[in-house]
Amino acid sequence: MPRIAVIEHDLCKPKDCHLLCLRICPLVRTGVKAIEVNEETGKPIIAESLCMGCGLCVKKCPFHAISIVNVPEELEEDCVHRYGPNAFKLYRLPIPKPGKVLGIIGANGTGKSTSLAILSGRLKPNLGKYDEPPEWDDIIRFFRGSELQPYFSKLAEDRLRAVLKPQHVDLLAKKLKGTVAQLLKVADERGALDEIVDELELKDIMNRDVRKLSGGELQRLAVGIVALREADVYLFDEPSSYLDVYQRVKVAKLIRSLAREDKYVIVVEHDLAVLDYISDLVCVIYGEPGVFGVVSMPRGVGVGINEYLDGYLPAENMRIRKEAIRFDLRPLERIWKPEEKMLSWPRMVKVLGDFKLTVEPGSAHKGEVIGIVGPNGIGKTTFIRMLAGELEPDEGYVPLREKLKVSYKPQYILPEYDGTVRNMLVEEGGPEATSAWFRSEVLRPLRIEKLMDRYVKELSGGELQSVYIATCLAKDAKIYLIDEPMAYLDVEQRLTVARVVRHIAEERGAVVFIVEHDIIAHDFIADTLMVFTGRPGIEGHALSPMGLKKGMNLFLKELGITFRRDKHSGRPRVNKEGSYLDRLQKSIGEYYYVER
Ligand code: ADP
Ligand code: ADP
Ligand code: SF4
Ligand code: SF4
């Protein structure tokens, strides 16, 4: 079986370990050069053809820099790209179809962005021959018999213009200059400015400087800029992060409308409801994060997402996960004992400048995870600060014996910390961050152990999110406010975060408030739901925590969106507006739990 050896360049520190891998490799000891030192970098290189896969170096490397995996023989001929010796390897590519939206789903680190970079023409695929990169003719020949052949023929001749919305919109504010209006005008090659401004509801922020935009505003601006271009290929890397549910549906509609006639539209997205709504077809990418990725053949969107959730791809005869992911159609209402009540609040009112928040009376219990739904700027943070005793309400009061400690994960995550993950965790999370318990309950499941010696500034979006969540959970607090934890995380990471957060809430007897716009995530994480309604920035109305079913129905009714449940997996699917089910569900007031 062919073998892939990957050494993470950032993690490998030969000076600190005195080239331990080289010293312990049994083959090297007998004179076989399975590991050699690159003279330029001083770092080891593993010869995959010689290595016998004993795994000793993987186990002993003090910085967890080495991975060695076997891959099926038949894959080898399908290698599309390798970044270098002992680097990540991508097999096959998503096959886009003209006039259709192709969705891509898969774990982080398995090559989704690499695929987008290749399909957009930014990265020329080397077919694994990084030391002797092939010419376009060879590449086109490689894709013979596939729909990718005409695609790459055009790309090679500059006859295919591609535009990409990057993943990490938080960083755009630093790259772009000017006001929203200026940026959109420059991008407007299709003469569709008014239409797009209208669809993305950008009118009110047209004169705002890009550096003053919130994450959700930046996301809509970035989608707008791409949609205004006259291109043949439109690529979107996670278009829904930071948007509320209503905005997600709007953006999804806009992206769908770009798939005209011969246009290709390709979208990477982890919010399953959005991916389902946007795509016609879906490709699953599976493999070993950071080591290799394999792209599946495109499938119809419904079947494709179900196969992904099942963890088994029949066409490839490939199991990608041990267990299937299933959804609960009838969430159990948790019953709380009176002594578990941690805090109660009466009706409260708070005015801050032009904004007025009214909170209905409610209570929270030890170990309770309260999901919060509602738009941004509606008073969620204000509410939590009142609960914690940091802000005095103008009407009503919070009967607290002492100030409750609050730990907060902000919505926007920026790689600003100047140091390693370990330093950030200890400095900002406190001593608990390095305890054995925290390591096994939080850091290991969130896959942070491997990142400990990496610099925060060099982390990917998903890695940074996990580190921010862990830092928040390391603090000993009674109230946790975790704002949009799922952005940039893949589906499995979202499930892991849900599990970890629930566990911490139980262990510490704390209350956790989770603000999240991926509403399917609330299925996994929340016991109860708190709905915030009103007009962002003007007036907010916070309802008491209620059961998931009641809360979802109330929230979705306000938005006018209904979900049906997929028969096979139980996952929620957005109904087309005005469809038979949409009308039926609205008439019976069941916006979220109807089985079909
Ligand atoms: P995804 O989008 O699925 O999260 P990516 O395509 O961004 O995955 O990355 C897949 C793997 O390729 C990651 O392990 C990443 O570190 C690695 N990688 C990305 N760019 C480079 C590069 N220029 N050189 C070496 N490795 C890279
Ligand atoms: P959310 O957490 O739902 O995004 P916040 O509670 O942070 O909302 O804010 C609600 C509204 O109150 C926003 O419009 C915000 O600009 C406004 N606001 C928050 N703090 C102040 C303040 N100290 N002075 C004036 N307005 C404020
Ligand atoms: Fe040391 Fe690990 Fe690098 Fe080998 S791979 S030189 S053991 S840090
Ligand atoms: Fe050597 Fe074993 Fe590591 Fe291969 S897996 S490089 S044989 S120590």
Side-chain angles (χ1 to χ4, degrees), residues 340-346 348 362-366 368 370 383-384 386-388 398-401 404 478-479 510-511 513 545:
E340 287 171 323
K341 189 174 277 185
M342 199 168 91
L343 56 108
S344 297
W345 58 92
M348 296 187 286
S363 53
H365 306 84
K366 288 180 185 164
E368 184 172 356
I370 303 179
F383 163 68
I384 303 290
M386 289 198 291
L387 277 194
V398 182
L400 287 179
R401 260 167 281 127
L404 290 178
K478 282 291 169 213
I479 300 180
V511 177
F513 291 91

Side-chain angles (χ1 to χ4, degrees), residues 6 8-10 81-84 86-90 104 106-117 123 167 237-238 268 270 285 288-293 454 460 462-463 488 490:
V6 169
E8 274 188 60
H9 208 74
D10 295 350
H81 192 72
R82 190 162 203 189
Y83 281 110
N86 295 149
F88 176 82
K89 211 166 172 182
L90 181 68
I104 299 176
N108 281 334
T110 54
K112 296 182 299 299
S113 301
T114 305
S115 300
L116 292 190
L123 179 66
Q167 179 199 43
D237 201 345
E238 295 184 41
V268 169
H270 298 300
I285 306 199
E288 178 82 27
V291 181
F292 77 102
R454 295 262 302 273
S460 71
E463 291 166 341
Y488 305 133
D490 63 45

Side-chain angles (χ1 to χ4, degrees), residues 477-497:
K478 282 291 169 213
I479 300 180
Y480 291 87
L481 171 59
I482 307 186
D483 203 345
E484 228 188 316
M486 304 307 184
Y488 305 133
L489 298 185
D490 63 45
V491 173
E492 288 173 44
Q493 289 171 322
R494 289 175 194 215
L495 287 170
T496 308
V497 164

Side-chain angles (χ1 to χ4, degrees), residues 21 24-27 34-35 46 50-58 68:
C21 50
I24 56 152
C25 174
L27 290 179
I35 309 185
I46 298 177
L50 296 174
C51 162
M52 61 178 177
C54 71
L56 210 60
C57 58
V58 178
I68 293 187

Side-chain angles (χ1 to χ4, degrees), residues 270-520:
H270 298 300
D271 179 327
L272 288 178
V274 172
L275 182 81
D276 186 31
Y277 191 72
I278 290 189
S279 321
D280 297 299
L281 301 159
V282 164
C283 280
V284 174
I285 306 199
Y286 59 93
E288 178 82 27
V291 181
F292 77 102
V294 186
V295 186
S296 78
M297 289 298 284
R299 306 278 277 150
V301 62
V303 176
I305 295 180
N306 281 351
E307 288 180 359
Y308 174 74
L309 292 173
D310 283 346
Y312 178 67
L313 311 178
E316 276 79 10
N317 188 19
M318 180 56 65
R319 176 147 294 285
I320 58 169
R321 193 183 322 106
K322 276 199 200 115
E323 290 144 19
I325 298 171
R326 287 284 173 265
F327 294 82
D328 208 354
L329 281 170
R330 286 165 205 86
L332 288 177
E333 299 258 333
R334 229 169 127 176
I335 311 287
W336 308 95
K337 294 189 197 119
E339 65 269 25
E340 287 171 323
K341 189 174 277 185
M342 199 168 91
L343 56 108
S344 297
W345 58 92
R347 182 176 182 278
M348 296 187 286
V349 175
K350 180 77 194 171
V351 177
L352 280 173
D354 297 333
F355 178 76
K356 180 180 174 185
L357 173 69
T358 309
V359 181
E360 296 298 331
S363 53
H365 306 84
K366 288 180 185 164
E368 184 172 356
V369 180
I370 303 179
I372 293 185
V373 287
N376 295 327
I378 199 78
K380 299 176 295 276
T381 313
T382 308
F383 163 68
I384 303 290
R385 290 185 62 206
M386 289 198 291
L387 277 194
E390 284 180 19
L391 263 185
E392 274 299 312
D394 299 328
E395 281 176 41
Y397 67 103
V398 182
L400 287 179
R401 260 167 281 127
E402 52 187 319
K403 270 195 182 180
L404 290 178
K405 249 172 121 182
V406 179
S407 179
Y408 174 61
K409 189 212 73 81
Q411 182 185 25
Y412 307 119
I413 49 168
L414 289 166
E416 276 172 346
Y417 184 85
D418 198 6
T420 64
V421 170
R422 190 187 306 279
N423 296 343
M424 174 167 158
L425 273 167
V426 173
E427 227 169 81
E428 298 190 3
E432 177 65 12
T434 48
S435 77
W437 183 83
F438 196 75
R439 269 211 316 268
S440 80
E441 301 301 322
V442 178
L443 300 182
R444 197 164 302 145
L446 294 180
R447 290 177 174 245
I448 291 175
E449 277 188 316
K450 243 191 124 158
L451 307 177
M452 292 300 260
D453 295 308
R454 295 262 302 273
Y455 283 95
V456 173
K457 286 187 189 310
E458 288 165 7
L459 299 179
S460 71
E463 291 166 341
L464 193 62
Q465 184 70 273
S466 302
V467 171
Y468 262 80
I469 293 172
T471 307
C472 168
L473 295 178
K475 290 180 200 159
D476 185 23
K478 282 291 169 213
I479 300 180
Y480 291 87
L481 171 59
I482 307 186
D483 203 345
E484 228 188 316
M486 304 307 184
Y488 305 133
L489 298 185
D490 63 45
V491 173
E492 288 173 44
Q493 289 171 322
R494 289 175 194 215
L495 287 170
T496 308
V497 164
R499 226 172 281 139
V500 166
V501 164
R502 298 192 63 87
H503 188 55
I504 290 276
E506 287 294 339
E507 274 296 318
R508 304 229 172 109
V511 177
V512 183
F513 291 91
I514 302 269
V515 179
E516 182 52 56
H517 303 299
D518 172 354
I519 67 164
I520 297 183

